[in-house]
């Protein structure tokens, strides 16, 4: 059973408009969340993160919102650019039995920004 | 340039072969990770090393054998693999294995088992 879910496998947005990517999780003990971007034939690249003590984090065109009561986070990209076309992965940090942390990833959403 | 380099980028091997995947990080990090990504599945953690010590083995079959000789290098030794082991294998590193220290990924090795 997936603990981190990205229910939209794909999304298309016009250039200049807002892209909103969504992610849901099931474990209320997750304390840190991240978004990664992945281009074909490359590894995931860290984009932005948010601690569970916050509800918003902004970095340039990218903003992540966290709604803990709904166990939901979203990534907003404004304005969207063609270079943003990639697969976006949501991840949550989970503490292991050894005391370290591991990331639980969603299956990704493919964003296509149309020129 | 991600700071995490994986070789080879592509590998085709038979089920009886022995091969190794290599990962090197140039970021001064202390924690290193192996992940597996199969088609249409999320990234799946395999192993975690912190200061060269293995701290997590996510129930990985023994045909996968990791080795971490120092904090900058991580290997994944492969032996007697199965066709279902065909996947993208990603290495990552982070400053430490804490929750708020983002992991930085290499570009992966695409493994095909014949």
């Amino acid at each position: 059973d997936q603990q981190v879910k990205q229910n939209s496998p794909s999304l298309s947005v016009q250039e200049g408009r807002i892209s909103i990517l969504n992610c849901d999780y099931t474990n209320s003990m997750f304390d840190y969340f991240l978004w990664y971007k992945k281009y074909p034939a490359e590894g995931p690249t860290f984009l932005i993160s948010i601690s569970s003590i916050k509800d918003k984090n902004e970095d340039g065109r990218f903003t992540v919102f966290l709604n803990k009561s709904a166990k939901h986070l979203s990534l907003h990209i404004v304005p969207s650019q063609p270079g943003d076309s990639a697969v976006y992965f949501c991840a949550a940090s989970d503490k292991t039995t050894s005391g370290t942390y591991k990331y639980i990833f969603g299956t990704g959403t493919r964003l296509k920004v149309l020129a | 340039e991600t700071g995490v380099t994986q070789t080879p980028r592509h590998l085709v091997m038979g089920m009886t072969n022995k091969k190794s995947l290599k990962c090197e990080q140039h970021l001064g990090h202390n924690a290193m990770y192996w992940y597996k990504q199969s088609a249409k599945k999320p990234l799946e953690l395999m192993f975690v090393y912190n200061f060269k010590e293995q701290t997590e083995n996510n129930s990985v079959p023994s045909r996968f054998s990791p080795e971490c000789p120092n904090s900058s290098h991580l290997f994944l030794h492969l032996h007697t693999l199965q066709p279902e082991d065909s996947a993208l294998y990603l290495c990552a590193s982070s400053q430490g294995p804490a929750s708020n220290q983002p992991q930085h990924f290499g570009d992966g090795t695409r493994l095909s088992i014949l």
Side-chain angles (χ1 to χ4, degrees), chain A residues 32 36 41 43 93 98 101 103 105, chain B residues 9 42 55 97 99 101 103 106-107:
Chain A
Y32 193 70
Y36 281 83
S93 182
S98 64
Y101 288 86
Y103 291 170
F105 282 86
Chain B
R9 292 297 310 275
T55 57
S99 65
Q101 292 170 342
Q103 295 172 21
D107 289 337

Side-chain angles (χ1 to χ4, degrees), chain A residues 31-79:
Chain A
D31 64 350
Y32 193 70
F33 303 89
L34 309 94
W35 284 95
Y36 281 83
K37 178 170 74 173
K38 186 179 184 302
Y39 293 119
E42 294 183 11
T45 303
F46 170 67
L47 197 56
I48 192 169
S49 62
I50 187 166
S51 165
S52 60
I53 62 173
K54 295 186 174 182
D55 55 17
K56 177 182 174 181
N57 188 28
E58 194 172 348
D59 183 2
R61 298 186 296 114
F62 302 91
T63 303
V64 55
F65 294 92
L66 176 62
N67 182 334
K68 280 179 293 187
S69 60
K71 297 193 184 72
H72 177 83
L73 67 156
S74 61
L75 174 68
H76 293 211
I77 306 173
V78 182

